[in-house]
């Protein structure tokens, strides 16, 4: 691209015609008695356009000619980022930050790797030193019962909790380990007490409940990936504890694979007060089943025997 800028004097002289040796026009020069033939030939030569030799452009792209200014834009001129449609300054900064973060030797990448190693170390310590899955599942089961499931107004109603035998539940005989029944029943029992409102009532009364005794009877094994249901119900209560039952029902044929009994002691209040808080009136416990009463009698006999052996006959089990 080439732009020619001519001075005003040069444009005036071009309109007036070719000039003579004295600076005037050809007519004045001929009038002063100059040689006509020589003047004509000079005028003819002056009228013919002479091609000036190309001058090299300066480093800045400018070429200088008499009475004119030429500006040359070379093909190698590179406009700024915005004129060329390139990325803006924030985009270039983000790109530079991304390259620095991806560079393993950069401080940002080193800090990210350090945080990742710390997180992995904490997760490994959590699952190796603590019973991680149990500490996660019980709170999640309680939150699910309180927030996602409708409350159960009938304290004696049966509730179901679904499960499946996982590889971590198996023992050397490739069926569900006997300790896993107690674990699954514990999760189902927490969800049951949350839905029927017992946990909320205990918290409102400033009390809490602990497991005092359990009994498990196994009837048939649960195999790998076999679905099952834990059906939990409240059988009754006395002056110190709630009594609950959990049944493991196979999802294949409905067979009762295991039957578990639990004695949940209430500390800080009594079961009667908890039930009265929920029902807004005093409610008597239903009659306890015969097999449960035998189990309660066995627990009392065992407690008396242990107290006699220790010499603390006046101390009750907590």
């Amino acid at each position: 691209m080439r732009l020619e800028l001519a001075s005003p004097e040069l444009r005036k002289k071009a309109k007036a015609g070719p000039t003579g040796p004295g600076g005037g026009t050809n007519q004045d020069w001929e009038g002063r008695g100059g040689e006509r033939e020589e003047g004509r030939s000079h005028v003819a030569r002056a009228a013919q356009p002479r091609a000036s030799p190309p001058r090299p452009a300066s480093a800045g792209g400018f070429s200088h000619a008499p009475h004119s200014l030429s500006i040359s834009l070379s093909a190698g001129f590179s406009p700024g980022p915005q004129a060329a449609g390139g990325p803006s300054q924030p985009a270039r900064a983000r790109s530079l930050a991304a390259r620095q973060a991806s560079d393993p030797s950069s401080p940002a990448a080193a800090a990210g790797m350090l945080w990742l190693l710390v997180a992995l170390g904490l997760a490994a310590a959590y699952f190796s030193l603590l019973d991680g899955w149990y500490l996660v599942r019980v709170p999640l089961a309680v939150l699910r019962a309180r927030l996602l499931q409708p409350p159960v107004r009938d304290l004696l109603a049966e509730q179901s909790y679904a499960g499946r035998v996982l590889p971590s539940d198996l023992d050397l005989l490739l069926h569900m380990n006997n300790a896993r029944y107690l674990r699954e029943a514990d999760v189902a029992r927490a969800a049951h007490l949350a839905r029927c409102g017992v946990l909320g009532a205990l918290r409102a009364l400033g009390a809490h409940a602990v497991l005092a005794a359990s009994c498990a009877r196994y009837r048939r094994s649960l195999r790998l990936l076999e679905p099952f249901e834990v059906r939990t119900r409240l059988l009754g209560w006395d002056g110190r504890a709630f009594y609950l039952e959990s049944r493991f029902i196979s999802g294949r044929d409905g067979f009762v694979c295991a039957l578990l009994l639990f004695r949940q002691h209430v500390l800080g209040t009594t079961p009667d007060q908890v039930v009265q808080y929920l029902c807004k009136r005093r409610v008597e416990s239903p009659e306890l089943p015969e097999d449960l009463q035998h189990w309660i009698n066995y627990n009392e006999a065992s407690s008396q025997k242990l107290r006699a052996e220790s010499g603390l006959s006046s101390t009750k089990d907590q």
Side-chain angles (χ1 to χ4, degrees), residues 106-127:
S106 65
M113 185 62 66
L114 178 61
W115 281 111
L116 177 61
L117 293 177
V118 170
L120 291 176
L122 292 176
Y126 175 77
F127 284 100

Side-chain angles (χ1 to χ4, degrees), residues 244-291:
L244 298 98
E245 177 191 81
S246 293
R247 296 189 177 198
F248 283 74
I249 310 298
S250 173
R252 294 183 301 177
D253 52 8
F255 187 81
V256 180
C257 296
L259 179 66
L260 285 75
L261 297 176
F262 300 98
R263 183 177 185 177
Q264 200 86 26
H265 272 198
V266 177
L267 303 179
T269 186
T270 63
D272 289 329
Q273 293 178 348
V274 174
V275 176
Q276 185 176 354
Y277 179 87
L278 291 174
C279 300
K280 309 303 180 184
R281 59 185 178 87
R282 184 175 179 83
V283 178
E284 296 293 335
S285 171
E287 184 179 358
L288 300 179
E290 183 180 358
D291 57 344

Side-chain angles (χ1 to χ4, degrees), residues 74-317:
S74 61
F77 174 73
S78 59
Q82 295 293 341
S88 60
Q89 188 69 19
R92 287 192 297 172
R94 290 193 298 268
S95 177
L96 178 60
R99 289 197 299 269
Q100 290 178 352
S102 61
D103 186 7
S105 61
S106 65
M113 185 62 66
L114 178 61
W115 281 111
L116 177 61
L117 293 177
V118 170
L120 291 176
L122 292 176
Y126 175 77
F127 284 100
S128 60
L129 301 178
L130 302 174
D131 197 352
W133 289 120
Y134 174 77
L135 296 178
V136 170
R137 288 186 61 199
V138 173
L140 289 180
V142 173
L143 290 176
R144 178 173 176 268
R146 288 179 175 176
L147 302 178
L148 302 180
Q149 294 178 325
V152 176
R153 302 301 180 185
D154 186 3
L155 290 177
L156 302 180
E158 185 180 75
Q159 299 181 37
S160 178
Y161 189 88
R164 185 178 294 271
V165 182
L166 301 178
S168 58
D169 299 328
L170 302 180
D171 58 12
L172 295 178
L173 298 178
L174 300 181
H175 60 206
M176 190 167 173
N177 185 271
N178 59 344
R180 290 295 181 179
Y181 288 87
L182 296 172
R183 170 69 56 82
E184 297 299 320
D186 197 14
V187 177
R189 189 171 65 257
H192 174 89
L193 296 177
R195 284 191 68 186
C196 66
V198 173
L199 291 184
L202 289 172
R203 185 175 64 254
L205 296 174
H208 62 280
V210 295
L211 184 64
S214 62
C215 175
R217 179 169 176 254
Y218 306 103
R219 302 183 66 220
R220 194 179 76 182
S221 298
L222 290 172
R223 298 296 177 177
L224 178 63
L225 301 181
E226 183 176 353
F228 61 87
E229 288 184 353
V230 183
R231 298 179 183 175
T232 307
R233 62 177 179 145
L234 179 63
L235 300 177
W237 58 90
D238 57 17
R240 298 183 60 194
F242 288 107
Y243 296 94
L244 298 98
E245 177 191 81
S246 293
R247 296 189 177 198
F248 283 74
I249 310 298
S250 173
R252 294 183 301 177
D253 52 8
F255 187 81
V256 180
C257 296
L259 179 66
L260 285 75
L261 297 176
F262 300 98
R263 183 177 185 177
Q264 200 86 26
H265 272 198
V266 177
L267 303 179
T269 186
T270 63
D272 289 329
Q273 293 178 348
V274 174
V275 176
Q276 185 176 354
Y277 179 87
L278 291 174
C279 300
K280 309 303 180 184
R281 59 185 178 87
R282 184 175 179 83
V283 178
E284 296 293 335
S285 171
E287 184 179 358
L288 300 179
E290 183 180 358
D291 57 344
L292 177 61
Q293 190 63 57
H294 287 310
W295 182 60
I296 294 174
N297 294 335
Y298 160 76
N299 289 330
E300 292 295 334
S302 177
S303 296
Q304 292 178 6
K305 178 182 177 182
L306 293 175
R307 286 196 295 267
E309 290 177 356
S310 61
L312 302 175
S313 57
S314 61
T315 303
K316 294 183 178 181
D317 293 349

